Amino acid sequence: MNRDMLKLRKDPTIPPSAAATVNTSTTNAFPVSPRLGSPGGDNRGNRSGRQRSSPKGSGAGSNAASAAASSNTSNTPTQHPTANGGSTVGGYNTLASPGYNTGSNGLGIGAAGGGGSSVGAPLVAGNGGHSQQDSMGPGGGQSPQQPSASPISSPNMYKFDTNGALWALSASPDYSMVAVVGRDVLKILNVTEWGAQEAINLKAVGVRNNFAGSMDVKWGPTTGRDAKIATIGTNGPIVIWDIGTHNKIGRTIKEHTRSVNRICFSPQEPNLLLSASSDSTIRLWDLRVRDKPGVIMDAKDIVREVQFNPTSMNDIVAGYESGNIQRWDLRNPLIGEKKFMAHMGFVTSLDYHPSGRFLASGGRDRTIKVWDMEDEKRREIHTIPTIQYTSKVQWRPNRPYQLAASFKDESTVQVFDVRRPYVPLHVLSQHDKDATSILWKDSDVLWTVSKDKTFASTLVKGQTISADLLPGGKAAMNCYGQLAFTVSTKAGLDSFERDLVPKPGRPNAKAVALDGSSEPMVYRTRQTGGVFDCELFNHEAFIYCAQNYSMEAGNIREVCEHNSNVAWQANKYRDSQTWIALKLFFSEMAEPAIVVSQVDAVAPDITTSAVTKEEEQHDDDDDIDTLETRAAKSVVPSLFAIKVSDAPVKRNWSHDDTIRNMLDFYAEQGEVQMCVTILLVLAEEEDLPEFGLSQHWFSSYIDLLSRFKLWSIATAVSQACKDVRIHTMNQDSTTIHTSCSSCMKPILTRGLSSSGFWACDRCRKVLSSCSVCHKTVRGIFTWCTQCSHGFHLQHAQEWFSQSAECPTGCGHQCFPEMLKIQREQEQMSLRQETPDNETLHDPSHPHAHHHLQPRSVHSHPQQELASNQGHSTLRAAESTDAKASSPLSYLPYNV
Amino acid sequence: MSYSDYGDNDPIYGDDLADEDRESRPRLMLMGLRRSGKSSIQRVVFHKMTPTETLFLESTSKINKDNIHSFIDFQVWDFPGQMDFFDPTFDTTAIFGEVGALVFVIDSQDDYMEALARLHSTVVAAYRVNPNITFEVFIHKVDGLSEDYKIDTQRDIQQTTTDELADAGLENVQLAFYLTSIYDHSIFEAFSKVIQKLIPQLPTLENLLNILCANSGIEKAFLFDVISKIYIATDSSPVDSQSYEICSDMIDVIIDISSIYGRAAIGAKSQGYLEDQQDQPEDWTHQQDGHDDYEDSNGGGHGHSQAVVSNSSRAGSLDNQPVQSGGNHEAFSVIKMGNGTVLYLREVNKYLALICLLRAETFEKQGLIDYNVHCFKEAMDQVFELKRAERTRREMEANQLLEQQQHNGLYGHG
């Protein structure tokens, strides 16, 4: 049955009542064009509901409703919703007999209602959360007496269709009645825990007086004969209805020059009403004095929301279009009190915490923020990101940390716990269309209204906790071959409160206990985590090889020899052998080579065939000299004679296949390092074929190097590659990040922290200051990439013409060439004194051999910039890496 | 350089001041430090320059006055950034005396302390001359900032400025702050709010729109100034950026489509205004005397979209009496979107278009909506008729006074 209701409201053919009611609402500006009921069948399900708004279409439906009511023997207070639900089923329930679809037979409706509930109960049983409708059907009406039979029909879970999109609701002080309003609805409902029932429809009065609909409603705290509700008419005025005595308009307030956005009754002083308006004023009205103009508070900004503090009667808070929230004291309406910037864009909703100290605010920037109004700091203490901007937010009674919120263009209502802001505690999907407003009846029952024309009551207690639905386990791997994982250790459902632990250590300044306890509690996820070393990847060897492999093309012989040694050092014996083999393959053999030749005539036909085959494959006819050599490679002969030739043997066959197989093998093993290095070393070989995957190898090797923060090597690799795309990969969308030179905290964006761009947020030191003159450098900033101290260019030149050491006294020798020059000068002077002294080389110089040519200081930054490009690197990371690595860390490469 | 001779040597704008009645033009001033983006804002909002082109704008060296002929006529004064208020030749009274709104632009990506000091001195100087100025602060170029930093920047700027003004004894000066960028709609939205404060009829318009929305089932209605894509009024429900953006985009779509498909002329004299839109942004409606109506439907090629464009039957300028034809002669377009929302555009007058967002099921009663919109238009006409009548009455009074004075003078001399 419930499902059928859902289906019904999604049916696009139902004409919205918003449009339908234009017929009955007359305004001066828009004369009404009478509209008769839409073609039969379209809105049959709505008919019983429409009986009030459209007299023409009410015939069959209302008959059906009354017939159903009379046919129902159980004369419970829920008979009206019963009839309503029954007629709906009659119109649309295809599970019932098609005959009921005519919807004109009263008895048929009643039967359909009964049938619907009997069919509906098992249907609903499967879907747990949506059992509310059962209590409304005739079957549901009896179910309270036998709760064991149908456990799903719980109290406080129902929906009531009001035949008009609803915007706001407000309950009477005893929560027995609720006023719901929309653009064309003005109704008061009687509410029990089993259902709602229409008590008063104020629309008829409203239409006559031109206040057809309302955007907001508030029920005054007075009861009995003084009971009042206040509404905001869609076309401006605030209307006070005396519903205690007679359902008449008691007073209209038209003083606001622009539309009123929100009204609010004082909880302590029942006759005080606040109104927030677009005319930039907040006004306070005393409803006991009819002609007294309101007290005006000039907010100088469009006021979207206003709320009374529940504990202090003179304290109010207002939310503005500009995103500011301001506190006002009613005793001093001339000057507002504390005002602070809360949201980007307008404030949509405010709600005071029951303690009167905290304030929740929803804004256009899609956040709900919680503020400590007694704190002088204008900082929120909690922020909850939401899916859309909130239309209404309200704290849950007796649960100091929880609040509910409805959102614009969102059908679900969410309940949050501020201690766990990123996962809503409950997601309540009662409605089919945008839920517009919410109201807590008590700590467990939430009332909502929606644009799907319904008022709904939801029992929040026992709803699924959405965090429980999230998987608790996660795993991730890093480049060192370590696997980090978490495993959920949740004890069971509803474990949220148990996952709260007292916060250890010193209290966080931001963490404030909302429930009045001294110690703020924090949420702890019940997860166990760990790191598992998979040892899938020998990163030490990789780094060592990356740092030490030579990628120089051209001099294959020496490079291969060097790389072979490096691989051997790194315990990569197979790679070492590969390099030796490469050396043999490609080097111009200057030393005596072992030439294997075959004893002839043993298998001559095989040999010749092999040779011809080889010749067909490779079209090089100029280099064929010894058939024997070729044959030795290609066939497995039975007899061999080995002779050592002492003449230099030219490389005389192509190694395409071998190289290809080798590269494929390494690629299969995931050793892009070998693939790339081999390709780079052999880059000068002309007859090397194209490898289709080489680009992938390069990019993954560069990626891998970047992960190990070997930026310089990655840049060298990309520069050495001939492939245009790899070669130019650091020429587009280059980002250069900077970090503080003293604490290495990255400087994220400019001018945004309290100290702006000029000082580090963490260590509060001036950024980019000159180490010589200690002033901020504007213009060209020169720095040492290893100790990361910076200078004015001129100061650096002056300093390093005298000394090699960093002027900060960090001990780093930023400019080792200077040492060399100094020594040379010393030597020169010595030599001039003692001309027979001739030693020049300085073996103690640690850095000398990895700088290819002496660099002047001012070329230094550019060079390092170039190496940083394209890898989103942090300079800090670069320099720490450089410091940590061995003196061999820099490969000789040309920039 | 003396700033008191503003406009005299300006060939484009110089003569405009002479023949327009000065006091009826709200003046909007753009101020700020050099390179904060003032001219870019002006070009993007009022001259349809694409944001990327503004990179090549040269810095402004003298006050650049720009008359915007639109729904409300106003002037935008683009001030050079390096102007010095303490220059004795700087005539503050002449400049600030008639200003409606002062927009101060702050480059949020720069170190804004200097800008705040300048803002402070500007506000103090201007407030002394003319306390009725509304001060608007655009925290500009926020496209480069992350969300968290945006609000921190705004909070910081707002707090510093209001504290400084309070220290100077100007607690009553109200500054409005906006986060803007020319690369999205935020600059248009901010300008909308600025312009709205200069429109005296705003409460009436808002109320009319409220009534329209309530009775037609419209979710959101904007009254757009088509040239600048500024909305001059909307109903009282809060404006969320998506709905504004989609309406703003719709204007672009209509203008683009009609410039492609709109038939150029029936006969030689008629020319659709929308075709002229991009060449002559000052004239949405091309002046014409004929009543040649045509419709150009190009729904076929665009799936769900259906844009019907017809040209205006209005003759004469805004000052003349509009033709009360009441017929369906205005630009009109409906775009149905995949998510069940319908965008409904209808020309209201020469400069204004009404754009409504409504649900598809509500739109089934299009006739009703058409009728209500028609009523809305008539109400709008009445509102501005009143304004026109007021103006003519004042002019007549002034003339009478003048005549009387001349008369008296004659007598006096005689």
Side-chain angles (χ1 to χ4, degrees):
Chain A
M1 196 159 147
N2 172 41
R3 280 188 178 172
D4 296 324
M5 290 292 286
L6 295 177
K7 201 189 293 170
L8 180 148
R9 297 204 184 84
K10 277 174 186 159
D11 190 332
T13 58
I14 300 171
S17 63
T21 47
V22 173
N23 313 330
T24 48
S25 64
T26 317
T27 65
N28 291 333
F30 307 111
V32 167
S33 62
R35 178 197 153 276
L36 302 180
S38 54
D42 276 354
N43 58 345
R44 199 172 292 140
N46 262 18
R47 211 174 268 167
S48 67
R50 183 151 310 154
Q51 54 193 315
R52 271 151 251 114
S53 59
S54 157
K56 194 78 180 169
S58 65
S62 61
N63 288 345
S66 55
S70 59
S71 70
N72 188 355
T73 50
S74 68
N75 206 359
T76 57
T78 58
Q79 62 166 273
H80 191 91
T82 300
N84 214 339
S87 69
T88 311
V89 172
Y92 280 87
N93 190 354
T94 49
L95 286 171
S97 153
Y100 299 137
N101 280 345
T102 57
S104 58
N105 188 330
L107 284 171
I109 296 294
S117 72
S118 61
V119 174
L123 262 181
V124 173
N127 88 18
H130 297 285
S131 55
Q132 70 282 3
Q133 202 64 37
D134 264 44
S135 59
M136 290 170 60
Q142 290 150 11
S143 58
Q145 281 97 45
Q146 28 182 297
S148 58
S150 56
I152 27 85
S153 64
S154 50
N156 292 311
M157 295 288 283
Y158 54 84
K159 276 167 103 174
F160 177 75
D161 195 335
T162 59
N163 293 303
L166 298 177
W167 286 93
L169 78 166
S170 184
S172 63
D174 59 354
Y175 289 92
S176 66
M177 295 172 106
V178 64
V180 292
V181 296
R183 266 183 175 147
D184 45 296
V185 185
L186 252 175
K187 282 180 183 173
I188 293 173
L189 312 177
N190 274 325
V191 189
T192 66
E193 36 170 29
W194 298 106
Q197 178 184 14
E198 186 176 316
I200 310 165
N201 189 352
L202 295 171
K203 189 167 171 188
V205 192
V207 167
R208 203 185 317 132
N209 292 285
N210 228 342
F211 310 122
S214 177
M215 308 303 288
D216 195 12
V217 62
K218 285 286 152 61
W219 199 303
T222 45
T223 49
R225 291 179 58 84
D226 285 338
K228 289 185 183 67
I229 62 167
T231 61
I232 305 171
T234 39
N235 50 354
I238 304 166
V239 186
I240 315 290
W241 304 77
D242 290 329
I243 52 161
T245 47
H246 33 63
N247 301 320
K248 271 192 4 193
I249 293 171
R251 180 179 177 185
T252 28
I253 298 172
K254 295 182 175 175
E255 274 87 345
H256 279 290
T257 54
R258 288 177 66 184
S259 52
V260 180
N261 295 317
R262 191 76 84 183
I263 43 177
C264 181
F265 273 105
S266 167
Q268 276 99 7
E269 192 59 58
N271 284 301
L272 290 183
L273 178 74
L274 273 178
S275 60
S277 162
S278 298
D279 64 2
S280 306
T281 58
I282 307 162
R283 298 189 196 213
L284 178 71
W285 311 94
D286 190 337
L287 299 179
R288 289 165 297 196
V289 195
R290 182 161 284 266
D291 299 323
K292 192 180 166 194
V295 179
I296 300 176
M297 284 162 269
D298 184 9
K300 303 190 179 89
D301 196 354
I302 292 175
V303 193
R304 284 275 165 211
E305 166 74 289
V306 66
Q307 286 290 328
F308 270 100
N309 187 327
T311 56
S312 145
M313 72 175 272
N314 289 312
D315 184 20
I316 65 160
V317 69
Y320 299 143
E321 179 89 2
S322 59
N324 287 303
I325 292 176
Q326 189 169 25
R327 193 171 178 170
W328 291 82
D329 191 322
L330 293 180
R331 289 164 294 193
N332 184 7
L334 295 177
I335 300 168
E337 289 186 359
K338 175 176 154 181
K339 183 177 183 180
F340 55 92
M341 171 83 206
H343 292 279
M344 277 195 289
F346 48 79
V347 177
T348 52
S349 179
L350 294 173
D351 190 45
Y352 253 115
H353 195 263
S355 67
R357 179 176 168 189
F358 305 103
L359 181 78
S361 69
R364 176 173 147 172
D365 55 357
R366 297 182 185 180
T367 51
I368 298 170
K369 291 179 177 176
V370 181
W371 309 85
D372 184 352
M373 297 300 279
E374 287 172 12
D375 191 14
E376 274 313 301
K377 280 180 299 192
R378 296 154 203 259
R379 287 275 171 182
E380 66 273 18
I381 50 174
H382 292 286
T383 306
I384 300 171
T386 56
I387 39 173
Q388 252 294 353
Y389 72 74
T390 42
S391 54
K392 185 90 177 101
V393 60
Q394 198 188 10
W395 290 97
R396 185 172 181 177
N398 305 323
R399 302 283 166 92
Y401 284 96
Q402 295 181 11
L403 49 83
S406 61
F407 309 97
K408 186 188 152 58
D409 296 335
E410 172 61 40
S411 62
T412 59
V413 173
Q414 301 185 352
V415 182
F416 288 96
D417 190 298
V418 293
R419 292 164 297 189
R420 194 171 185 188
Y422 297 102
V423 188
L425 190 62
H426 304 293
V427 177
L428 312 173
S429 43
Q430 280 274 52
H431 293 287
D432 306 326
K433 279 190 192 165
D434 322 358
T436 44
S437 192
I438 52 171
L439 181 74
W440 286 99
K441 176 179 180 276
D442 52 46
S443 59
D444 288 329
V445 177
L446 183 69
W447 287 343
T448 51
V449 290
S450 154
K451 283 191 191 169
D452 70 359
K453 307 174 186 175
T454 55
F455 162 82
S457 166
T458 313
L459 185 64
V460 176
K461 190 177 184 172
Q463 291 274 343
T464 320
I465 293 178
S466 40
D468 289 341
L469 305 174
L470 298 175
K474 282 269 182 279
M477 213 167 165
N478 71 355
C479 58
Y480 299 100
Q482 289 168 323
L483 182 78
F485 60 91
T486 60
V487 179
S488 172
T489 55
K490 222 166 260 171
L493 295 181
D494 204 10
S495 59
F496 183 82
E497 293 289 336
R498 274 180 281 146
D499 287 345
L500 291 166
V501 290
K503 188 172 176 60
R506 71 192 169 90
N508 185 353
K510 270 184 83 174
V512 181
L514 268 63
D515 55 359
S517 62
S518 56
E519 189 86 358
M521 303 271 274
V522 293
Y523 178 75
R524 184 188 64 188
T525 47
R526 286 214 179 260
Q527 284 176 325
T528 313
V531 177
F532 173 68
D533 207 338
C534 304
E535 298 192 353
L536 293 173
F537 184 63
N538 187 355
H539 61 275
E540 282 164 5
F542 175 86
I543 293 172
Y544 181 78
C545 291
Q547 286 168 344
N548 293 305
Y549 270 154
S550 168
M551 292 175 290
E552 201 183 345
N555 190 2
I556 297 177
R557 205 180 120 77
E558 278 176 26
V559 169
C560 286
E561 181 125 7
H562 171 80
N563 288 350
S564 165
N565 286 336
V566 170
W568 192 270
Q569 295 275 318
N571 296 339
K572 291 184 159 192
Y573 305 116
R574 188 203 297 273
D575 297 359
S576 180
Q577 294 294 335
T578 308
W579 285 114
I580 289 175
L582 276 176
K583 183 179 97 176
L584 289 176
F585 283 172
F586 284 98
S587 53
E588 305 286 332
M589 293 193 189
E591 60 193 65
I594 299 167
V595 175
V596 183
S597 71
Q598 189 190 7
V599 177
D600 51 354
V602 175
D605 34 2
I606 305 171
T607 313
T608 42
S609 67
V611 169
T612 43
K613 205 166 119 200
E614 286 275 328
E615 285 204 346
E616 278 159 13
Q617 276 180 359
H618 319 289
D619 232 4
D620 48 337
D621 29 19
D622 48 352
D623 255 4
I624 313 162
D625 46 359
T626 47
L627 285 177
E628 290 86 357
T629 322
R630 289 168 170 275
K633 180 181 166 266
S634 50
V635 295
V636 184
S638 52
L639 278 167
F640 283 104
I642 298 174
K643 67 169 182 177
V644 177
S645 105
D646 45 357
V649 178
K650 285 199 79 177
R651 178 170 57 85
N652 46 10
W653 71 82
S654 170
H655 302 285
D656 279 7
D657 280 344
T658 325
I659 300 291
R660 193 183 297 278
N661 287 338
M662 183 175 73
L663 290 176
D664 282 346
F665 169 78
Y666 277 117
E668 198 117 308
Q669 301 280 310
E671 289 264 354
V672 279
Q673 186 173 39
M674 277 303 282
C675 295
V676 167
T677 319
I678 289 169
L679 280 178
L680 284 178
V681 169
L682 301 183
E684 295 281 304
E685 292 300 312
E686 280 145 13
D687 50 352
L688 207 66
E690 286 287 314
F691 291 97
L693 287 169
S694 66
Q695 202 179 339
H696 291 285
W697 296 338
F698 270 102
S699 46
S700 29
Y701 186 46
I702 289 170
D703 186 46
L704 204 53
L705 287 171
S706 306
R707 279 169 185 269
F708 284 105
K709 300 181 180 178
L710 302 168
W711 321 110
S712 308
I713 301 164
T715 310
V717 169
S718 101
Q719 291 301 305
C721 179
K722 283 181 178 160
D723 189 304
V724 182
R725 271 201 270 172
I726 300 292
H727 190 77
T728 59
M729 69 185 274
N730 56 4
Q731 290 174 12
D732 56 338
S733 57
T734 300
T735 318
I736 298 172
H737 293 270
T738 48
S739 60
C740 173
S741 57
S742 51
C743 68
M744 298 304 170
K745 180 180 167 61
I747 299 158
L748 292 174
T749 334
R750 314 165 58 199
L752 305 153
S753 54
S754 50
S755 48
F757 185 37
W758 308 104
C760 172
D761 274 343
R762 188 197 285 165
C763 63
R764 318 301 299 174
K765 280 188 183 153
V766 178
L767 294 171
S768 58
S769 65
C770 175
S771 304
V772 178
C773 68
H774 298 289
K775 285 179 183 165
T776 303
V777 182
R778 286 181 181 238
I780 296 176
F781 181 64
T782 318
W783 76 92
C784 169
T785 50
Q786 300 195 7
C787 71
S788 71
H789 291 115
F791 326 93
H792 284 107
L793 176 58
Q794 195 192 351
H795 290 149
Q797 280 171 331
E798 282 169 13
W799 179 269
F800 288 114
S801 65
Q802 307 290 324
S803 164
E805 245 182 57
C806 182
T808 54
C810 69
H812 182 254
Q813 296 191 338
C814 302
F815 193 51
E817 284 79 11
M818 191 60 222
L819 267 186
K820 201 170 166 185
I821 294 165
Q822 277 177 342
R823 268 169 215 263
E824 276 174 23
Q825 281 171 347
E826 279 171 25
Q827 299 285 351
M828 287 292 280
S829 55
L830 272 176
R831 209 181 307 161
Q832 277 166 1
E833 287 164 20
T834 53
D836 50 333
N837 198 341
E838 74 232 42
T839 171
L840 276 172
H841 187 62
D842 172 31
S844 70
H845 191 301
H847 291 285
H849 64 278
H850 65 268
H851 292 304
L852 280 187
Q853 66 269 11
R855 297 182 284 194
S856 65
V857 168
H858 46 87
S859 75
H860 198 116
Q862 284 93 330
Q863 196 168 358
E864 286 305 330
L865 277 184
S867 70
N868 279 342
Q869 280 174 1
H871 300 294
S872 306
T873 161
L874 294 172
R875 179 162 57 85
E878 167 76 35
S879 52
T880 44
D881 172 47
K883 269 189 274 192
S885 58
S886 69
L888 281 165
S889 63
Y890 284 108
L891 283 170
Y893 63 89
N894 297 315
V895 176
Chain B
M1 170 180 174
S2 157
Y3 289 99
S4 52
D5 61 345
Y6 51 90
D8 289 346
N9 49 357
D10 194 328
I12 307 166
Y13 304 108
D15 56 347
D16 260 337
L17 267 183
D19 50 9
E20 297 284 345
D21 44 347
R22 283 197 183 192
E23 87 274 15
S24 73
R25 250 166 203 275
R27 196 183 289 170
L28 196 80
M29 283 216 260
L30 279 170
M31 301 183 98
L33 291 189
R34 79 224 165 283
R35 304 205 58 74
S36 57
K38 301 174 292 301
S39 301
S40 304
I41 291 176
Q42 192 216 355
R43 296 300 166 96
V44 168
V45 175
F46 298 109
H47 293 278
K48 291 274 163 289
M49 185 180 267
T50 56
T52 42
E53 278 178 66
T54 59
L55 284 176
F56 308 109
L57 280 180
E58 301 214 349
S59 61
T60 314
S61 58
K62 61 182 167 108
I63 301 177
N64 186 3
K65 269 164 280 176
D66 193 1
N67 284 303
I68 309 297
H69 296 272
S70 180
F71 162 69
I72 55 161
D73 289 354
F74 59 94
Q75 289 182 321
V76 176
W77 284 28
D78 188 8
F79 273 69
Q82 61 275 12
M83 207 170 58
D84 182 14
F85 291 112
F86 303 103
D87 188 341
T89 57
F90 181 74
D91 186 356
T92 46
T93 325
I95 292 196
F96 294 128
E98 297 156 16
V99 168
L102 193 152
V103 177
F104 195 90
V105 185
I106 295 176
D107 181 355
S108 65
Q109 296 191 26
D110 199 7
D111 179 24
Y112 47 73
M113 282 307 160
E114 195 184 344
L116 292 188
R118 172 63 72 88
L119 170 65
H120 181 71
S121 60
T122 310
V123 169
V124 170
Y127 187 76
R128 207 171 44 228
V129 176
N130 181 359
N132 295 323
I133 298 183
T134 57
F135 295 98
E136 321 280 345
V137 181
F138 285 8
I139 301 166
H140 197 48
K141 305 189 191 175
V142 289
D143 44 287
L145 310 186
S146 71
E147 288 293 312
D148 283 349
Y149 279 121
K150 273 184 197 171
I151 192 159
D152 281 354
T153 311
Q154 185 178 356
R155 190 179 283 153
D156 189 29
I157 289 179
Q158 190 171 333
Q159 205 58 52
T160 319
T161 321
T162 33
D163 287 355
E164 275 178 8
L165 284 175
D167 290 348
L170 297 172
E171 292 96 344
N172 291 326
V173 182
Q174 188 64 27
L175 275 70
F177 295 86
Y178 307 90
L179 293 164
T180 59
S181 158
I182 52 171
Y183 293 96
D184 54 28
H185 291 84
S186 56
I187 187 70
F188 294 98
E189 227 181 321
F191 251 104
S192 303
K193 288 178 182 156
V194 172
I195 298 286
Q196 278 171 29
K197 290 187 188 167
L198 303 178
I199 299 175
Q201 297 94 344
L202 180 67
T204 319
L205 295 180
E206 187 182 88
N207 204 6
L208 283 174
L209 285 166
N210 276 341
I211 296 170
L212 174 71
C213 287
N215 290 300
S216 313
I218 292 169
E219 303 218 324
K220 188 78 193 151
F222 290 98
L223 201 55
F224 264 92
D225 179 57
V226 179
I227 295 159
S228 54
K229 289 196 286 176
I230 284 174
Y231 66 92
I232 62 154
T234 178
D235 62 315
S236 57
S237 65
V239 181
D240 64 318
S241 46
Q242 291 105 316
S243 51
Y244 170 70
E245 279 167 22
I246 201 148
C247 292
S248 169
D249 289 344
M250 182 184 186
I251 291 181
D252 284 340
V253 168
I254 301 302
I255 286 172
D256 289 351
I257 287 185
S258 62
S259 66
I260 298 170
Y261 295 102
R263 266 180 289 161
I266 300 174
K269 57 182 176 178
S270 170
Q271 209 178 3
Y273 55 88
L274 288 169
E275 285 88 328
D276 294 347
Q277 171 60 27
Q278 279 155 336
D279 299 327
Q280 303 174 347
E282 259 86 11
D283 282 324
W284 190 34
T285 310
H286 188 82
Q287 301 305 325
Q288 60 193 339
D289 29 318
H291 283 233
D292 306 295
D293 305 325
Y294 62 85
E295 284 199 341
D296 182 27
S297 171
N298 41 27
H302 292 267
H304 290 295
S305 79
Q306 174 204 5
V308 183
V309 182
S310 67
N311 70 336
S312 167
S313 65
R314 301 229 189 282
S317 70
L318 195 68
D319 294 325
N320 296 346
Q321 285 287 103
V323 180
Q324 297 289 346
S325 58
N328 191 12
H329 298 303
E330 295 84 11
F332 161 61
S333 166
V334 174
I335 294 178
K336 288 180 178 160
M337 293 190 294
N339 62 354
T341 310
V342 174
L343 284 166
Y344 177 94
L345 176 144
R346 189 171 275 275
E347 181 192 341
V348 173
N349 64 21
K350 189 172 149 188
Y351 302 111
L352 296 182
L354 175 77
I355 302 190
C356 304
L357 273 164
L358 59 169
R359 306 293 308 167
E361 54 259 33
T362 320
F363 195 66
E364 282 170 10
K365 290 186 214 48
Q366 198 193 338
L368 185 86
I369 291 164
D370 285 345
Y371 183 78
N372 282 351
V373 170
H374 175 68
C375 292
F376 170 77
K377 277 175 54 181
E378 283 184 351
M380 284 269 303
D381 283 340
Q382 284 170 18
V383 168
F384 292 107
E385 189 61 37
L386 206 65
K387 178 193 171 194
R388 257 191 301 278
E390 176 73 13
R391 196 198 290 175
T392 36
R393 193 178 56 80
R394 256 192 293 135
E395 277 170 10
M396 277 173 64
E397 274 177 5
N399 286 341
Q400 276 176 352
L401 203 69
L402 204 69
E403 276 173 26
Q404 211 168 13
Q405 278 172 349
Q406 282 170 347
H407 209 58
N408 292 342
L410 271 177
Y411 273 119
H413 282 289

